[in-house]
Amino acid sequence: MPGEVGRSGKASRPCRAHEQLEGGETVELLLEPREFRLLEGLRLNPRKSFSGRVRGERLTQKKGISIEFADYREYAEGDDLRHLDWNVLARLDTPVMRTYRDEEDLAVHLLLDASPSMDFGEPTKFDAATRVASALGYVALNGGDAVHPRLLGAKQPPHPALRGRASFPRLARWATSTTPQRLNASTPLSRSLREFAASSSRTGVVVLLSDGLDPDAATAIRTLGGRGHEVLFLQILSDVELDPDLEGDLRLLDPEGGEPVEITANSFALKEYRRRLQEHNAGLVDTIRRIGGRHALIQPDQPLDLIVKDVFKREGWIS
């Protein structure tokens, strides 16, 4: 599967950085000092061009006022004479205007799945998602992008946009402020995605961090593409989910609230499970490709440096 990363064992307990906010609150920044150094100088690398609301550091193809020359065009009545090329006018007696590529901020939506199924594994899928979301958020903030964090699964007011490197502690506080158990999310992933797509949120890059186990996830993701977003889907599944090693009579509990199911785990049942999971994931990958997005599959214990190297850099998510 594109972007899939192999396991490399569990890391020792990290020594993560902390920072004190105004008012004396101390926030764990989720990343280790060496991981901050790893992310320095990197930027998100979207394939699409989006219009921004405030002037930022990212060049787009939209013509406006900036420092980078784009093209010439004929003068039209009412044009700003500050952008008239006086040298061309003096030589050719023809008024022409200089146009520029506009510098705008990019809207980066961090969509973090907080449904009960994410509270599984050691570390949990949700814990892994918060760390990766923090890393990509740090890259976006350093690049001058506008970061819009959002928890999926429960009704919550929109979080204000975060801008600039100094906003990272607030992003970390958001990421560590709750867990699936505390949130008690009841809205399925697919419904949350449709609600986001139907909202007034700016079109931009959507970074979705989820296990993607909702059977209707592919259809919901398609709506994001129809809305004009560029989707980067980081799917997080544990090794037990990918390749269960179980046998005997089992009673399966659905953390999303479904009815318990009793099965006999034998080679035939496990083979059918793997087939259905592969089929489901293949549908997600196909949908992402069709809407011009990117997909990668990782495991919760995957070290961040390998994710950065083997997914984000190799697959062109960041540069």
Side-chain angles (χ1 to χ4, degrees):
M1 187 172 294
E4 184 170 349
V5 180
R7 298 181 62 200
S8 63
K10 295 183 179 179
S12 58
R13 183 174 179 82
C15 179
R16 296 173 182 169
H18 293 73
E19 186 160 324
Q20 194 171 62
L21 299 177
E22 294 181 5
E25 179 185 358
T26 300
V27 176
E28 180 182 336
L29 299 185
L30 288 171
L31 304 178
E32 303 173 42
R34 64 177 182 84
E35 293 170 336
F36 282 111
R37 293 192 294 270
L38 174 70
L39 299 171
E40 288 294 337
L42 299 176
R43 300 187 69 181
L44 290 179
N45 187 30
R47 292 171 175 168
K48 295 182 180 180
S49 180
F50 302 94
S51 295
R53 286 185 178 172
V54 300
R55 193 164 304 282
E57 302 176 5
R58 189 178 295 274
L59 292 176
T60 76
Q61 296 302 318
K62 180 181 175 182
K63 293 179 180 179
I65 303 172
S66 181
I67 60 173
E68 183 162 328
F69 173 74
D71 200 0
Y72 287 105
R73 65 169 174 80
E74 293 183 358
Y75 170 81
E77 184 175 355
D79 281 342
D80 190 341
L81 294 181
R82 291 177 298 175
H83 305 297
L84 184 70
D85 194 314
W86 297 99
N87 291 329
V88 174
L89 178 63
R91 291 199 316 269
L92 304 178
D93 197 28
T94 301
V96 296
M97 304 296 294
R98 295 173 64 90
T99 62
Y100 301 82
R101 287 199 296 165
D102 204 13
E103 292 181 345
E104 299 177 325
D105 70 339
L106 171 71
V108 178
H109 301 279
L110 293 179
L111 305 187
L112 183 58
D113 185 4
S115 58
S117 66
M118 293 290 288
D119 193 28
F120 178 78
E122 182 56 44
T124 68
K125 292 179 285 184
F126 185 79
D127 288 341
T130 57
R131 275 181 34 82
V132 178
S134 298
L136 288 174
Y138 182 75
V139 170
L141 292 172
N142 273 350
D145 302 325
V147 175
H148 301 260
R150 188 184 185 108
L151 283 172
L152 301 179
K155 299 290 185 181
Q156 288 194 329
H159 193 286
L162 301 174
R163 291 184 173 88
R165 182 172 181 159
S167 295
F168 181 74
R170 283 187 286 160
L171 177 64
R173 178 173 60 182
W174 165 82
T176 58
S177 62
T178 190
T179 64
Q181 287 183 337
R182 289 167 53 191
L183 191 61
N184 194 26
S186 58
T187 304
L189 172 66
S190 54
R191 188 190 304 173
S192 294
L193 292 177
R194 289 192 182 94
E195 290 175 353
F196 170 76
S199 70
S200 59
S201 299
R202 287 173 52 194
T203 303
V205 171
V206 169
V207 180
L208 174 60
L209 301 108
S210 169
D211 55 19
L213 293 180
D214 187 323
D216 200 26
T219 303
I221 289 172
R222 194 175 299 119
T223 64
L224 299 178
R227 174 73 167 73
H229 294 290
E230 179 174 341
V231 180
L232 306 181
F233 181 20
L234 195 70
Q235 187 179 11
I236 306 172
L237 291 173
S238 69
D239 54 353
V240 175
E241 291 169 320
L242 291 169
D243 189 18
D245 184 15
L246 304 171
E247 61 180 27
D249 295 330
L250 303 173
R251 188 168 188 262
L252 303 182
L253 303 178
D254 184 357
E256 307 287 334
E259 293 294 327
V261 177
E262 294 185 359
I263 68 167
T264 298
N266 52 36
S267 60
F268 299 104
L270 294 178
K271 183 178 180 180
E272 178 65 12
Y273 165 82
R274 296 186 186 97
R275 184 191 68 78
R276 292 191 180 189
L277 180 61
Q278 290 173 1
E279 186 178 85
H280 173 76
N281 288 347
L284 292 173
V285 173
D286 182 66
T287 297
I288 293 291
R289 286 177 173 173
R290 287 178 181 272
I291 63 174
R294 284 169 278 188
H295 170 276
L297 176 64
I298 67 167
Q299 294 176 251
D301 58 356
Q302 185 68 43
L304 181 61
D305 56 347
L306 291 187
I307 297 174
V308 172
K309 174 186 175 183
D310 295 339
V311 176
F312 299 154
K313 288 185 176 180
R314 188 183 68 187
E315 302 295 329
W317 293 32
I318 59 178
S319 59

Short mmCIF file of all heavy atoms in Angstrom, two decimals, residues 130-162:
data_model
loop_
_atom_site.label_atom_id
_atom_site.label_comp_id
_atom_site.label_asym_id
_atom_site.label_seq_id
_atom_site.Cartn_x
_atom_site.Cartn_y
_atom_site.Cartn_z
N THR A 130 -2.40 12.33 17.92
CA THR A 130 -2.12 13.65 18.47
C THR A 130 -0.67 14.06 18.24
O THR A 130 -0.38 15.22 17.95
CB THR A 130 -2.45 13.71 19.97
OG1 THR A 130 -1.69 12.71 20.67
CG2 THR A 130 -3.92 13.49 20.21
N ARG A 131 0.25 13.10 18.33
CA ARG A 131 1.66 13.44 18.11
C ARG A 131 1.92 13.80 16.65
O ARG A 131 2.61 14.77 16.34
CB ARG A 131 2.56 12.27 18.53
CG ARG A 131 2.89 12.29 20.00
CD ARG A 131 3.79 11.21 20.49
NE ARG A 131 4.83 10.74 19.61
CZ ARG A 131 6.01 11.33 19.43
NH1 ARG A 131 6.28 12.47 20.07
NH2 ARG A 131 6.91 10.80 18.65
N VAL A 132 1.36 13.01 15.74
CA VAL A 132 1.57 13.30 14.32
C VAL A 132 0.88 14.61 13.93
O VAL A 132 1.41 15.40 13.16
CB VAL A 132 1.07 12.14 13.46
CG1 VAL A 132 1.24 12.46 11.98
CG2 VAL A 132 1.82 10.86 13.79
N ALA A 133 -0.32 14.84 14.49
CA ALA A 133 -1.02 16.10 14.22
C ALA A 133 -0.20 17.28 14.72
O ALA A 133 -0.12 18.33 14.06
CB ALA A 133 -2.40 16.09 14.88
N SER A 134 0.42 17.12 15.87
CA SER A 134 1.25 18.20 16.42
C SER A 134 2.45 18.46 15.52
O SER A 134 2.84 19.62 15.30
CB SER A 134 1.71 17.84 17.83
OG SER A 134 0.62 17.69 18.71
N ALA A 135 3.06 17.39 15.00
CA ALA A 135 4.22 17.55 14.13
C ALA A 135 3.84 18.29 12.85
O ALA A 135 4.53 19.23 12.43
CB ALA A 135 4.82 16.19 13.80
N LEU A 136 2.74 17.88 12.21
CA LEU A 136 2.32 18.56 10.99
C LEU A 136 1.85 19.98 11.28
O LEU A 136 2.07 20.89 10.46
CB LEU A 136 1.21 17.76 10.31
CG LEU A 136 1.65 16.44 9.66
CD1 LEU A 136 0.44 15.67 9.17
CD2 LEU A 136 2.62 16.70 8.52
N GLY A 137 1.22 20.17 12.44
CA GLY A 137 0.82 21.52 12.82
C GLY A 137 2.02 22.43 13.02
O GLY A 137 2.00 23.60 12.63
N TYR A 138 3.08 21.88 13.62
CA TYR A 138 4.30 22.66 13.81
C TYR A 138 4.90 23.07 12.47
O TYR A 138 5.31 24.23 12.29
CB TYR A 138 5.30 21.83 14.61
CG TYR A 138 6.59 22.54 14.94
CD1 TYR A 138 6.64 23.52 15.93
CD2 TYR A 138 7.77 22.22 14.27
CE1 TYR A 138 7.83 24.17 16.24
CE2 TYR A 138 8.96 22.86 14.57
CZ TYR A 138 8.99 23.83 15.55
OH TYR A 138 10.18 24.47 15.84
N VAL A 139 4.93 22.15 11.52
CA VAL A 139 5.45 22.45 10.18
C VAL A 139 4.61 23.55 9.53
O VAL A 139 5.15 24.49 8.94
CB VAL A 139 5.45 21.18 9.31
CG1 VAL A 139 5.75 21.52 7.85
CG2 VAL A 139 6.48 20.18 9.83
N ALA A 140 3.28 23.44 9.64
CA ALA A 140 2.40 24.42 9.03
C ALA A 140 2.56 25.80 9.66
O ALA A 140 2.63 26.83 8.97
CB ALA A 140 0.95 23.95 9.13
N LEU A 141 2.63 25.85 10.99
CA LEU A 141 2.79 27.13 11.68
C LEU A 141 4.12 27.78 11.32
O LEU A 141 4.19 29.00 11.11
CB LEU A 141 2.69 26.93 13.19
CG LEU A 141 1.31 26.52 13.73
CD1 LEU A 141 1.41 26.16 15.21
CD2 LEU A 141 0.30 27.63 13.52
N ASN A 142 5.17 26.99 11.23
CA ASN A 142 6.47 27.53 10.84
C ASN A 142 6.45 28.07 9.42
O ASN A 142 7.19 28.99 9.08
CB ASN A 142 7.55 26.45 10.94
CG ASN A 142 8.16 26.37 12.33
OD1 ASN A 142 7.91 27.24 13.18
ND2 ASN A 142 8.93 25.33 12.59
N GLY A 143 5.60 27.48 8.56
CA GLY A 143 5.53 27.91 7.17
C GLY A 143 4.59 29.07 6.95
O GLY A 143 4.36 29.46 5.80
N GLY A 144 4.03 29.63 8.00
CA GLY A 144 3.15 30.77 7.86
C GLY A 144 1.72 30.42 7.51
O GLY A 144 0.94 31.28 7.11
N ASP A 145 1.34 29.14 7.63
CA ASP A 145 -0.01 28.71 7.31
C ASP A 145 -0.95 28.92 8.49
O ASP A 145 -0.52 29.03 9.63
CB ASP A 145 -0.02 27.23 6.89
CG ASP A 145 0.89 26.97 5.70
OD1 ASP A 145 0.97 27.85 4.82
OD2 ASP A 145 1.51 25.89 5.65
N ALA A 146 -2.24 28.94 8.20
CA ALA A 146 -3.27 29.07 9.24
C ALA A 146 -3.76 27.68 9.61
O ALA A 146 -4.31 26.97 8.77
CB ALA A 146 -4.43 29.93 8.74
N VAL A 147 -3.57 27.27 10.86
CA VAL A 147 -3.92 25.93 11.31
C VAL A 147 -5.26 25.97 12.03
O VAL A 147 -5.45 26.75 12.97
CB VAL A 147 -2.82 25.36 12.24
CG1 VAL A 147 -3.25 24.01 12.81
CG2 VAL A 147 -1.52 25.23 11.48
N HIS A 148 -6.18 25.11 11.59
CA HIS A 148 -7.51 25.02 12.17
C HIS A 148 -7.69 23.61 12.76
O HIS A 148 -8.04 22.67 12.05
CB HIS A 148 -8.59 25.26 11.11
CG HIS A 148 -8.49 26.59 10.43
ND1 HIS A 148 -9.28 27.67 10.78
CD2 HIS A 148 -7.69 27.02 9.42
CE1 HIS A 148 -8.98 28.70 10.01
NE2 HIS A 148 -8.02 28.33 9.18
N PRO A 149 -7.46 23.43 14.07
CA PRO A 149 -7.62 22.10 14.67
C PRO A 149 -9.09 21.78 14.93
O PRO A 149 -9.87 22.66 15.29
CB PRO A 149 -6.83 22.21 15.97
CG PRO A 149 -6.87 23.67 16.32
CD PRO A 149 -6.95 24.42 15.03
N ARG A 150 -9.43 20.51 14.77
CA ARG A 150 -10.83 20.11 14.96
C ARG A 150 -10.89 18.65 15.40
O ARG A 150 -10.28 17.78 14.78
CB ARG A 150 -11.59 20.30 13.64
CG ARG A 150 -13.10 20.10 13.74
CD ARG A 150 -13.71 20.22 12.36
NE ARG A 150 -15.16 20.18 12.37
CZ ARG A 150 -15.96 21.21 12.16
NH1 ARG A 150 -15.44 22.41 11.93
NH2 ARG A 150 -17.27 21.07 12.16
N LEU A 151 -11.62 18.39 16.49
CA LEU A 151 -11.86 17.03 16.95
C LEU A 151 -13.12 16.49 16.31
O LEU A 151 -14.16 17.17 16.29
CB LEU A 151 -12.00 16.99 18.48
CG LEU A 151 -10.72 17.10 19.30
CD1 LEU A 151 -11.07 17.23 20.78
CD2 LEU A 151 -9.82 15.89 19.09
N LEU A 152 -13.05 15.28 15.76
CA LEU A 152 -14.21 14.66 15.14
C LEU A 152 -14.84 13.66 16.09
O LEU A 152 -14.13 12.90 16.75
CB LEU A 152 -13.78 13.92 13.86
CG LEU A 152 -13.10 14.76 12.78
CD1 LEU A 152 -12.72 13.87 11.60
CD2 LEU A 152 -14.01 15.90 12.32
N GLY A 153 -16.14 13.67 16.16
CA GLY A 153 -16.84 12.69 16.99
C GLY A 153 -17.78 13.30 18.00
O GLY A 153 -18.64 12.61 18.55
N ALA A 154 -17.64 14.58 18.29
CA ALA A 154 -18.50 15.23 19.28
C ALA A 154 -18.72 16.68 18.88
O ALA A 154 -17.90 17.27 18.17
CB ALA A 154 -17.90 15.15 20.67
N LYS A 155 -19.82 17.23 19.31
CA LYS A 155 -20.13 18.63 19.03
C LYS A 155 -19.24 19.54 19.88
O LYS A 155 -19.29 19.50 21.10
CB LYS A 155 -21.61 18.91 19.33
CG LYS A 155 -22.58 18.09 18.51
CD LYS A 155 -22.58 18.52 17.05
CE LYS A 155 -23.64 17.77 16.26
NZ LYS A 155 -23.63 18.16 14.83
N GLN A 156 -18.43 20.31 19.19
CA GLN A 156 -17.57 21.26 19.89
C GLN A 156 -17.52 22.55 19.08
O GLN A 156 -17.60 22.51 17.84
CB GLN A 156 -16.16 20.70 20.05
CG GLN A 156 -16.05 19.58 21.06
CD GLN A 156 -14.60 19.30 21.44
OE1 GLN A 156 -13.69 19.48 20.63
NE2 GLN A 156 -14.38 18.84 22.65
N PRO A 157 -17.38 23.70 19.75
CA PRO A 157 -17.29 24.96 18.99
C PRO A 157 -16.00 24.99 18.18
O PRO A 157 -14.99 24.39 18.57
CB PRO A 157 -17.28 26.03 20.10
CG PRO A 157 -16.80 25.30 21.33
CD PRO A 157 -17.32 23.90 21.20
N PRO A 158 -16.01 25.67 17.04
CA PRO A 158 -14.80 25.75 16.21
C PRO A 158 -13.65 26.38 16.98
O PRO A 158 -13.83 27.33 17.74
CB PRO A 158 -15.24 26.64 15.04
CG PRO A 158 -16.73 26.55 15.02
CD PRO A 158 -17.15 26.38 16.44
N HIS A 159 -12.47 25.83 16.79
CA HIS A 159 -11.27 26.38 17.44
C HIS A 159 -10.75 27.54 16.59
O HIS A 159 -10.72 27.45 15.35
CB HIS A 159 -10.20 25.29 17.55
CG HIS A 159 -9.07 25.64 18.46
ND1 HIS A 159 -8.10 26.56 18.12
CD2 HIS A 159 -8.75 25.21 19.71
CE1 HIS A 159 -7.22 26.67 19.11
NE2 HIS A 159 -7.61 25.85 20.09
N PRO A 160 -10.35 28.65 17.22
CA PRO A 160 -9.81 29.77 16.44
C PRO A 160 -8.58 29.34 15.64
O PRO A 160 -7.83 28.45 16.07
CB PRO A 160 -9.45 30.80 17.52
CG PRO A 160 -10.25 30.42 18.71
CD PRO A 160 -10.39 28.93 18.67
N ALA A 161 -8.39 29.96 14.51
CA ALA A 161 -7.22 29.66 13.69
C ALA A 161 -5.95 30.02 14.45
O ALA A 161 -5.90 31.02 15.18
CB ALA A 161 -7.28 30.44 12.38
N LEU A 162 -4.93 29.19 14.29
CA LEU A 162 -3.63 29.42 14.91
C LEU A 162 -2.64 29.83 13.83
O LEU A 162 -2.58 29.20 12.76
CB LEU A 162 -3.15 28.15 15.62
CG LEU A 162 -4.06 27.61 16.73
CD1 LEU A 162 -3.53 26.28 17.24
CD2 LEU A 162 -4.19 28.61 17.87
#
